[in-house]
Amino acid sequence: SFSVSGTTEPVGIKTLAVTATDDATNTGTGDVTVYVHEPGIYMADNPDATFDEGYWYSWSGSCSFIGTDFRYISSADTDPYSVTWAVPASMPADTYSVWANFPCGLSVNEDQVYYTINYSGSGSDIAGPFDQRTSGWTLLGTYSLDAGAGSVVLSGTGSGGEVDADAIKWEP
């Protein structure tokens, strides 16, 4: 069983209070936070991503991130960084607008970040530069994707600005 707290809006962040019972009648409870989006839109948040290079900090303060937090590279870090969001396995082949969420839009954010979009077959495209000093969803481009295949990669070398990694969404 579960109950939903928060807004009655059909999309957004929802908290589910879950109670589970096993075969031996042991019971446990806990909260689960989910992001509900429109049907047909696919999303990968930072917990779904693979952080390959760099030291990524977690932040859950006052910014417009998806889920419970986002990750960032400190403005003092000059080492290479890389994070990869895989296309969800359940996503059908189609042409998608690919978006990245920039959660904070602070003056300390990097003003030139680049994304590599890996799509149908061996195709890839470098999108950018994008200014993370603005917040909200930013269109990276429109690509034809094979079913459940492809990825979006944010990578670079620190150059003095903070780099945020939150969520990617694909809209047909």
Side-chain angles (χ1 to χ4, degrees), residues 25-100:
T25 67
N26 298 309
T27 301
T29 61
D31 289 341
V32 177
T33 302
V34 295
Y35 185 82
V36 179
H37 53 80
E38 296 290 336
I41 295 175
Y42 294 84
M43 190 175 304
D45 195 6
N46 58 291
D48 305 315
T50 301
F51 290 82
D52 301 310
E53 291 184 282
Y55 186 82
W56 294 87
Y57 299 90
S58 177
W59 178 256
S60 59
S62 59
C63 290
S64 59
F65 50 86
I66 302 303
T68 59
D69 69 350
F70 70 94
R71 304 276 183 90
Y72 70 95
I73 290 280
S74 167
S75 59
D77 193 344
T78 58
D79 293 330
Y81 59 86
S82 176
V83 57
T84 303
W85 293 267
V87 165
S90 62
M91 198 168 93
D94 205 339
T95 300
Y96 291 90
S97 296
V98 181
W99 299 79

Side-chain angles (χ1 to χ4, degrees), residues 84-89 91 116-121 123 144-153 170:
T84 303
W85 293 267
V87 165
M91 198 168 93
T116 301
I117 292 81
N118 299 300
Y119 56 94
S120 297
S144 292
L145 298 168
D146 290 335
S151 64
V152 176
V153 180
W170 295 265

